[in-house]
Amino acid sequence: MSVTVIPDTHTTGNPESLTLRQGLEKYYRANPNFVQNQDLWVGRIRIPWRDLQRHDIMHVVTGYNTDLDQELRLIGFLLSALTWRRPWYYYAQSFLVFLELLWQSVRGKSWGSTYYNPRQVWQFYWQGVAQGGTVSKKIDAYIDANTVMERELNSLRQEYGIHNAGAWDS
């Protein structure tokens, strides 16, 4: 008797897992205007490339896309899923972006084409925080991306206990 195992695509993605490198390539093809391999300057503030890359990696590993609701979930996730030892500005990024978007929403303004009311902004962010609190292993905020590029996304998700939102696997 043979048994066919059907993967849970809500958790693991496609049966044949992409590597992180393949997932990132797909992510950058979908977002060709994103900065790659260089620092990003926002006014007088420099965001190092390695931090941008780690953020992009987390989009791919979590499966969150770049829509505002998904971005809010990701920054909430990063607040609670990363090790507490991290650059101070990771905390500021999470809180300040959330507060800025919440303030814009209270004022009736939207980011992009979709308006989210304050309750929705709050819910999306805290859904990410809640998901980040469920990881089975905290993610090293200083991880060297080159050490995980050839790992399969399914393997990384399983190691950390990350539920895949599915944006980059198919």
Side-chain angles (χ1 to χ4, degrees), residues 66-130:
T66 55
D67 294 340
L68 182 58
D69 63 317
Q70 300 279 298
E71 195 69 50
L72 279 162
R73 287 180 178 103
L74 180 64
I75 63 171
F77 175 86
L78 294 173
L79 179 67
S80 55
L82 295 179
T83 55
W84 289 106
R85 186 180 156 265
R86 62 181 105 165
W88 66 268
Y89 53 86
Y90 279 30
Y91 295 103
Q93 176 194 23
S94 182
F95 288 125
L96 294 176
V97 169
F98 163 67
L99 290 174
E100 175 64 24
L101 293 171
L102 185 61
W103 176 243
Q104 293 295 329
S105 179
V106 166
R107 295 176 51 216
K109 295 187 177 184
S110 66
W111 285 75
S113 61
T114 306
Y115 170 76
Y116 293 111
N117 67 48
R119 182 173 180 229
Q120 290 173 303
V121 171
W122 180 266
Q123 285 176 326
F124 296 144
Y125 181 75
W126 288 105
Q127 285 169 355
V129 171

Side-chain angles (χ1 to χ4, degrees), residues 3-111:
V3 176
T4 303
V5 177
I6 300 172
D8 175 3
T9 57
H10 295 292
T11 305
T12 61
N14 288 335
E16 293 188 29
S17 179
L18 299 174
T19 64
L20 176 57
R21 183 178 311 282
Q22 292 168 322
L24 272 173
E25 288 168 358
K26 185 175 184 175
Y27 173 84
Y28 289 127
R29 277 193 308 272
N31 299 287
N33 296 326
F34 284 10
V35 171
Q36 292 182 56
N37 302 314
Q38 62 183 341
D39 296 349
L40 174 67
W41 285 90
V42 180
R44 289 195 245 172
I45 299 171
R46 181 182 65 89
I47 302 171
W49 160 242
R50 69 181 182 277
D51 293 341
L52 291 170
Q53 184 184 40
R54 287 180 188 132
H55 180 88
D56 295 344
I57 285 170
M58 292 312 301
H59 268 288
V60 174
V61 173
T62 61
Y64 286 134
N65 65 39
T66 55
D67 294 340
L68 182 58
D69 63 317
Q70 300 279 298
E71 195 69 50
L72 279 162
R73 287 180 178 103
L74 180 64
I75 63 171
F77 175 86
L78 294 173
L79 179 67
S80 55
L82 295 179
T83 55
W84 289 106
R85 186 180 156 265
R86 62 181 105 165
W88 66 268
Y89 53 86
Y90 279 30
Y91 295 103
Q93 176 194 23
S94 182
F95 288 125
L96 294 176
V97 169
F98 163 67
L99 290 174
E100 175 64 24
L101 293 171
L102 185 61
W103 176 243
Q104 293 295 329
S105 179
V106 166
R107 295 176 51 216
K109 295 187 177 184
S110 66
W111 285 75

Side-chain angles (χ1 to χ4, degrees), residues 141-157:
Y142 292 98
I143 194 167
D144 177 2
N146 292 321
T147 65
V148 291
M149 281 296 179
E150 302 312 320
R151 297 263 317 263
E152 288 188 352
L153 289 172
N154 290 345
S155 171
L156 288 167
R157 291 175 183 135

